[in-house]
Amino acid sequence: MTTKTVDVLLVGAGAMSTTLGMLLKQLDPSMKICMVERLDHVAHESTDAMNNAGTGHAAYCELNYTPKTADGGVNPTKAFNINEAFEVSLQFWSYLVNQNVLPEPSKFISNVPHMSFVWGEENVQFLRNRYEALSNTAQFAEMEYSEDHDVLREWMPLVMQNRSADEKVAGTRVRYGADVNFGALARNMVEYLDTQENFELMLSRSVEELEQGADKRWTVELKNEKTGGKEVINAGFVFLGAGGGALPLLQKSGIEEGKGYGGFPVSGMWLVCKNQDVVEKHMAKVYGMAPIGAPPMSVPHLDTRVIDGKKALLFGPFAGFTTKFLKQGSVFDIFKSIKPGNLKPMLTVGAKSMDLTRYLISEVMQTHDSRCDALRTFYPEAKNEDWELAYAGQRVQIIKKDPEHGGKLEFGTEVISAADGSLAALLGASPGASTAVPTMVQVIENCFRDRANSDEWQQKIKEMIPSYKESLVNDAELLKTVRQQNLTTLGLGSL
């Protein structure tokens, strides 16, 4: 077996790994980087277009990012942070477009307005409170609100079609929302990286073993899925960006920081519209309220997607339970992930997640008729025969130790880094790829600390991300400047 020696090994060829690879190549073109992917294509698990919502998560329409407070108001903190994170991603993509590294923006991003829609007095009051909490800030100043049926019919004609004039409804709209084909984005990044010196893409390779030597470098053993042969890579830094497959690899690494983590897999399904006449009547991402016990990835939405230039209309996602950590994974994945260090957190979460368990069981038991009935709460005139079921990607929610309760289920994303900066892993799901750029900048700051603090890298990061080390939440003028540049460069509209 021959051993390749590299500076950086990226495991997985999805949104996170490709973003980190691109950032590092911009910072140091001489850096020797290898990317390995278990499948024979790039970005075909959670990053692929039909495996995720494609929403550029900016908290414009996702109601779960503004939870209710005890006094009946809303807590906007998470919305502010997610909105800022997406603006950082947009800045980096704009930079890459201006440098001719990425193709014409319509190849991977499209303007699709982001809307929220609710019905019933209590939910209308919640949306009203949410609008009031957000719209008086610079980040959400362009958000529109209405309870007027005629206005809402103009915004979302399918949703309002033949609704009773007496029904209490409300909606919000942000015109410059984004639909992102993260699969196309990742593949375009890899296509560029593959033209650069000191970069190698190795498809159909799965990681069998990871072991750190006394010199702090990692010896990583790969299996060639096509030939069955073994290959070895010696890397100074390893990033585990393999989606649901990152947890088992983190466990194999044996780093202290990864101990105690478990995973709770949740699958997803969409209803996809087959009637193009219906597809053409809707141009928005319309998000509603999540059912009690539902994970954030299951917030229902009637969703316009633009995939390779063609419009599609999806409703869902409907959640389900599987023991696989990847869409093309093994039914034994969850069982193999159970270790002495995470057994207590996983058992604790299992015992305390009855609402989630009941919800997932009810989702799995649904028929096509019942799914279409759920669709009709959004689109009253939907016909069963116009829709078919398609499977979305696999998500693995984080289970972690909790000193007070023994274990807790997390619905965000989390970076776990070794103390010596030699390895990092990304766990979790929503908001996922939308925050890829700030998340990967965080990896660079944690794991390449000396170089990240150098004047050379600081200046380069600032060139790629003009708001770097500044707050878009607190600096309204900077936000306005950055946002207008992003919208113009990426063809998403204007303020």
Side-chain angles (χ1 to χ4, degrees):
M1 281 188 295
T2 57
T3 300
K4 296 179 191 291
T5 301
V6 300
D7 298 310
V8 171
L9 174 63
L10 305 171
V11 180
M16 295 296 180
S17 289
T18 55
T19 298
L20 181 57
M22 184 66 83
L23 281 163
L24 289 172
K25 265 298 175 190
Q26 296 296 313
L27 290 166
D28 182 0
S30 69
M31 188 176 287
K32 196 168 185 179
I33 300 175
C34 180
M35 177 182 285
V36 298
E37 166 59 45
R38 190 176 59 97
L39 303 179
D40 61 359
H41 290 81
V42 168
H44 272 246
E45 274 283 350
S46 294
T47 300
D48 207 22
M50 291 296 285
N51 287 343
N52 63 71
T55 302
H57 287 296
Y60 295 137
C61 55
E62 309 92 331
L63 303 180
N64 55 305
Y65 295 152
T66 47
K68 292 181 183 178
T69 56
D71 62 0
V74 300
N75 182 349
T77 304
K78 191 171 185 180
F80 296 149
N81 293 337
I82 287 175
N83 184 271
E84 180 177 40
F86 187 59
E87 289 289 351
V88 170
S89 291
L90 290 175
Q91 288 173 70
F92 184 55
W93 300 340
S94 296
Y95 167 81
L96 294 178
V97 167
N98 288 329
Q99 297 296 312
N100 296 316
V101 171
L102 285 176
E104 201 275 321
S106 66
K107 300 288 185 184
F108 65 90
I109 193 167
S110 304
N111 173 219
V112 177
H114 284 197
M115 304 184 193
S116 303
F117 178 74
V118 299
W119 56 91
E121 186 64 50
E122 184 180 343
N123 289 340
V124 168
Q125 184 60 53
F126 165 75
L127 192 63
R128 195 183 296 131
N129 292 344
R130 181 181 190 269
Y131 170 73
E132 289 170 0
L134 294 178
S135 61
N136 62 3
T137 69
Q139 287 175 279
F140 295 89
E142 284 75 33
M143 180 180 281
E144 303 167 83
Y145 175 86
S146 183
E147 298 176 27
D148 186 306
H149 279 230
D150 290 335
V151 172
L152 294 173
R153 194 171 293 113
E154 180 187 334
W155 291 1
M156 44 185 112
L158 289 187
V159 172
M160 293 301 295
Q161 192 173 345
N162 292 334
R163 283 190 184 270
S164 166
D166 298 329
E167 186 175 7
K168 190 73 173 173
V169 295
T172 58
R173 175 174 73 166
V174 173
R175 294 172 184 267
Y176 49 73
D179 175 70
V180 188
N181 184 338
F182 289 107
L185 176 61
R187 285 187 278 275
N188 277 300
M189 285 190 184
V190 172
E191 192 174 317
Y192 169 82
L193 288 169
D194 219 15
T195 66
Q196 304 303 296
E197 290 185 9
N198 298 316
F199 179 87
E200 183 177 6
L201 172 65
M202 299 174 69
L203 298 173
S204 302
R205 266 74 163 198
S206 40
V207 174
E208 299 274 280
E209 299 293 341
L210 299 93
E211 187 175 355
Q212 190 176 29
D215 60 357
K216 302 300 183 184
R217 294 181 64 86
W218 289 89
T219 299
V220 183
E221 187 177 304
L222 309 176
K223 178 186 176 184
N224 187 315
E225 295 291 342
K226 291 189 173 176
T227 69
K230 303 289 184 184
E231 296 162 295
V232 175
I233 295 180
N234 181 274
F237 170 74
V238 176
F239 175 68
L240 305 176
L247 174 62
L249 295 175
L250 177 63
Q251 292 174 332
K252 284 183 178 182
S253 76
I255 66 168
E256 194 63 34
E257 294 77 8
K259 291 178 180 175
Y261 282 88
F264 187 90
V266 180
S267 61
M269 294 166 280
W270 301 105
L271 284 177
V272 181
C273 188
K274 300 184 290 183
N275 186 334
Q276 204 59 32
D277 289 339
V278 173
V279 174
E280 293 303 325
K281 291 174 183 174
H282 185 80
M283 188 60 178
K285 292 179 178 292
V286 182
Y287 277 62
M289 299 285 284
I292 294 173
M297 64 161 281
S298 297
V299 175
H301 46 288
L302 187 62
D303 192 347
T304 295
R305 303 294 317 278
V306 183
I307 301 171
D308 300 327
K310 184 178 179 182
K311 271 181 70 177
L313 182 59
L314 284 64
F315 177 76
F318 298 93
F321 179 74
T322 169
T323 53
K324 294 180 178 181
F325 279 177
L326 292 163
K327 191 173 180 179
Q328 299 184 49
S330 164
V331 293
F332 299 108
D333 284 344
I334 192 170
F335 306 109
K336 290 178 180 177
S337 76
I338 299 172
K339 309 291 181 186
N342 67 14
L343 181 59
K344 183 179 178 181
M346 291 184 74
L347 289 174
T348 302
V349 166
K352 294 185 176 180
S353 301
M354 294 311 296
D355 280 348
L356 176 59
T357 303
R358 280 192 290 269
Y359 171 76
L360 293 175
I361 291 171
S362 69
E363 289 283 278
V364 170
M365 298 300 290
Q366 285 203 66
T367 63
H368 185 66
D369 285 349
S370 61
R371 290 190 181 100
C372 288
D373 285 343
L375 165 62
R376 278 186 279 273
T377 63
F378 269 75
Y379 168 27
E381 298 300 303
K383 297 175 181 176
N384 291 21
E385 61 268 24
D386 287 342
W387 300 79
E388 62 186 0
L389 195 65
Y391 283 85
Q394 194 71 2
R395 305 289 184 268
V396 178
Q397 312 294 345
I398 301 166
I399 294 175
K400 61 194 293 188
K401 289 180 179 178
D402 181 76
E404 188 176 345
H405 303 292
K408 62 179 179 178
L409 186 61
E410 298 268 312
F411 287 114
T413 52
E414 188 167 336
V415 176
I416 293 97
S417 301
D420 63 8
S422 66
L423 182 142
L426 185 90
L427 303 182
S430 180
S434 296
T435 63
V437 176
T439 305
M440 292 304 99
V441 169
Q442 179 191 338
V443 169
I444 290 170
E445 290 174 336
N446 290 343
C447 300
F448 297 82
R449 195 167 292 120
D450 291 343
R451 300 194 71 186
N453 288 328
S454 69
D455 289 343
E456 183 185 359
W457 278 32
Q458 287 283 303
Q459 289 171 12
K460 185 64 179 181
I461 297 174
K462 187 75 174 172
E463 180 188 343
M464 298 187 291
I465 304 167
S467 70
Y468 181 60
K469 291 286 179 76
E470 299 182 66
S471 172
L472 295 176
V473 178
N474 299 323
D475 191 333
E477 281 306 309
L478 177 63
L479 171 68
K480 185 176 180 180
T481 300
V482 162
R483 180 170 283 172
Q484 187 57 70
Q485 289 172 347
N486 290 339
L487 295 177
T488 301
T489 301
L490 299 173
L492 298 176
S494 59
L495 294 176

